[in-house]
Amino acid sequence: MVDDALGELDEIIARHANREGPLLPILHDVQAEHGFISEEAKRHIAKALNLTRADVHGVVSFYHDFKAEKADRPVLKLCRAEACKARGVEALVANAEAIAAGRVTIETVYCLGLCSQGPNAMVGASVHARLDGPRLSALIEGLA
Amino acid sequence: MVTVRISDDALAIACGADQVAAAFTLAGHTVERVSSWGMQWLEPLVEIDGMGYGPATADDVAAIVDGSSPLAIGRIADHPFLVKQQRLTFARAGKTRPTSLEDYAATGGWQGLARAKEIGEAATVEEVIASGLRGRGGAGFPTGIKWRTVAAAQADQKYIVCNADEGDSATFADRMLMEGDPYCLIEGMAIAGFAVGATKGYIYVRSEYPHAIAKLEAAIKASRQLVAPFVLEVRAGAGAYVCGEETSLLNSLEGKRGEVRAKPPIPALVGLFGRPTIVNNVLSLAAVPYILSHGAKAYADYGMGRSRGTMPIQLAGNIRHGGLYETAFGITLGELVNEIGGGTQSGLPVKGVQVGGPLGAYLHPDQFDIPFDYEAYAAVDALIGHGGITVFDETADMAGMARFAMEFCAVESCGKCTPCRIGSTRGRELIDRILARAPRNRDVVETLPQMQNAKTTPRALEDEIALLEDLCETMKFGSLCALGGFTPYPVMSALKHWPEDFGATRVAEAAE
């Protein structure tokens, strides 16, 4: 990791230094800025917070939001929990995967809190409800 | 030019509310963004002088303004979905601008906090106990008793933690409250802080709710002086369902893996950073301002048995009129699903209903006369949980849903206890074998001479089902928290009510 990136990391750490339990807020910021949490970042954060690298690795690997590798394509989070299943999301999955193939990653999530109007999906911070085959396809095409 | 009111709730936005609002602005009208009424099938719902139009699109602007739109639903406040509700916690839903301090104060805001300070700490705790309020997150533990424990504890620092990690499918009341009436939650937490002597509060919100996080942060900033010396901070979760369990949430707040802690010690005595901590659900804390401003009796007059007050029930899944329905405890499931919800969206008959999220039991239409009450549900091996109801039509495969319950538990298990970590995976494999009609043959270990109790014949379907029941019993009684402990509810209820979906003919015994 180059010095620039380390400096940026120090800035993030400093931003949260006076909070109680600062690890998750720091990891969220690193994830948001870099798209993943590298081995170097883990080591550096561990040192700054007086934790072991294993402690930090344990936390990073526990939570679905923190990624070990940078996503190489856009991500669409598709809800496949009970309420969306009851509204037919499973019937959309195969076609969506086929359209997305190699261009968009379709990630399964469980619940976006829009449960009466599913099937639902989320891209970044934008939410989409009442998806059917054509609407989901259009959403994927828009990302690809 | 008219003034139109459109919700900026995440669900309305997901249905296109921003585009509708932009179209009204473009046409020269004034747009006010307000909270959602909770009639979600009508979103984006446009309100002009109290009259509603929905679900609207950007193309409907002209027709709505000149009154010729076929989307008209009449006066919103008189809508049949709303008139029979008893909205105490959601009294402001649809009526106020979420982050407007002016709107909040004009609708009775801060009166609960003012009364708490007037009657004092101990009387505030007694008021919450007298209201009969029970934890709305699912466990149903009396909120006031928890407060009294924390109030009596001695420590240099105490904490109020709001559990807003609303991960159950079919629940969205926490999200609606945080997005639509954030000051109500802030006031509830400030009252809790005052009552037990805690000066610091955290709201742990799941990362899937960016709109709620943004609203809360704006509201906390704007109301800082009003709740001082109480200080609040929002913390985002990181996509772990199990962090909705209170001890795992505390570990996550501390910056650790979200693993469950063994109890005792209870968080009320040894909680966040080892200090006495109140962990309450959003809806529990948001009920407190009403209890303080209107008195415990006014709240306790609603409800039945030991379930006092109102429950914001969430109607979801394959339902025609889905949304938020706050009403006193005691309403029957049939009334909720058929009369209020209007049956299924697809028009097909209802096959089953899951109450209480992924860990709640599936209920059969034969059980539709059960009143909404903690004890009545417990009596039939079900739970009301966080009040989410998912409706399934007759095309649903209940064995598939049972398999999903195990799969979900396997994905989300924190890994600390064996029944949940291993049991969920074995459960999924077992259901796969049952569905594939491929019972397992004896493996090498079972043929060893030492294995005197092992079966000598290959397992039949009935043996596999008995094994599933046995596994569910182990998970139910052997797991550390509700994730592994309650996963058997959806599995066993599906097996009990729809054995034909599993290929079985007999009615299976419930795991007791």
Side-chain angles (χ1 to χ4, degrees), chain A residues 19-20 28 63-65 116, chain B residues 40 159 202 207 233 235 239:
Chain A
R19 300 175 95 166
E20 299 175 303
H28 269 301
Y63 296 97
H64 300 302
D65 283 5
S116 70
Chain B
Q40 300 182 330
Y159 295 101
Y202 287 100
S207 60
E233 194 179 320
R235 283 291 173 90

Side-chain angles (χ1 to χ4, degrees), chain B residues 109-132:
Chain B
W110 310 117
Q111 286 176 10
L113 182 58
R115 170 131 188 281
K117 292 197 166 158
E118 197 183 297
I119 62 175
E121 293 89 339
T124 300
V125 173
E126 289 312 313
E127 196 80 10
V128 176
I129 293 175
S131 75

Side-chain angles (χ1 to χ4, degrees), chain B residues 434-446:
Chain B
I434 291 170
L435 295 181
R437 306 285 177 274
R440 194 170 66 86
N441 286 322
R442 302 170 71 206
D443 67 18
V444 180
V445 174
E446 282 170 302

Side-chain angles (χ1 to χ4, degrees), chain B residues 25-57:
Chain B
T25 307
L26 193 68
H29 304 291
T30 308
V31 176
E32 260 183 16
R33 299 305 291 267
V34 292
S35 52
S36 169
W37 288 92
M39 296 191 286
Q40 300 182 330
W41 75 99
L42 292 172
E43 293 288 1
L45 178 62
V46 175
E47 179 179 350
I48 301 175
D49 293 330
M51 307 301 280
Y53 305 85
T57 65

Side-chain angles (χ1 to χ4, degrees), chain B residues 169-187:
Chain B
S169 179
T171 63
F172 44 77
D174 292 355
R175 180 184 62 70
M176 282 186 66
L177 194 284
M178 291 186 285
E179 290 181 10
D181 198 6
Y183 295 120
C184 179
L185 174 60
I186 291 171
E187 185 180 355

Side-chain angles (χ1 to χ4, degrees), chain B residues 283-353:
Chain B
L283 301 179
S284 315
L285 289 162
V288 169
Y290 178 91
I291 291 167
L292 265 294
S293 61
H294 291 73
K297 189 176 178 302
Y299 191 78
D301 279 348
Y302 293 94
M304 65 172 282
R306 288 171 52 217
S307 306
R308 309 311 312 176
T310 59
M311 183 74 192
I313 296 166
Q314 300 124 85
L315 302 174
N318 198 330
I319 192 162
R320 186 170 297 148
H321 299 152
L324 183 95
Y325 198 90
E326 181 176 350
T327 188
F329 284 96
I331 191 167
T332 66
L333 192 53
E335 222 174 321
L336 285 166
V337 173
N338 293 325
E339 290 164 39
I340 296 157
T344 61
Q345 165 81 33
S346 61
L348 297 171
V350 175
K351 179 163 184 174
V353 173

Side-chain angles (χ1 to χ4, degrees), chain A residues 12-81:
Chain A
I12 291 174
I13 294 167
R15 204 183 299 158
H16 300 291
N18 53 0
R19 300 175 95 166
E20 299 175 303
L23 184 54
L24 257 67
I26 290 171
L27 293 176
H28 269 301
D29 282 5
V30 175
Q31 173 71 36
E33 283 193 25
H34 300 288
F36 74 118
I37 294 162
S38 66
E39 285 303 317
E40 289 84 349
K42 281 183 219 165
R43 212 165 268 139
H44 197 72
I45 294 166
K47 202 169 172 196
L49 299 184
N50 199 22
L51 298 169
T52 66
R53 196 196 63 86
D55 284 334
V56 178
H57 175 77
V59 171
V60 171
S61 58
F62 184 86
Y63 296 97
H64 300 302
D65 283 5
F66 303 136
K67 311 289 181 194
E69 278 167 36
K70 200 178 173 111
D72 52 357
R73 54 187 87 135
V75 177
L76 177 130
K77 294 179 177 176
L78 183 66
C79 176
R80 291 173 73 179

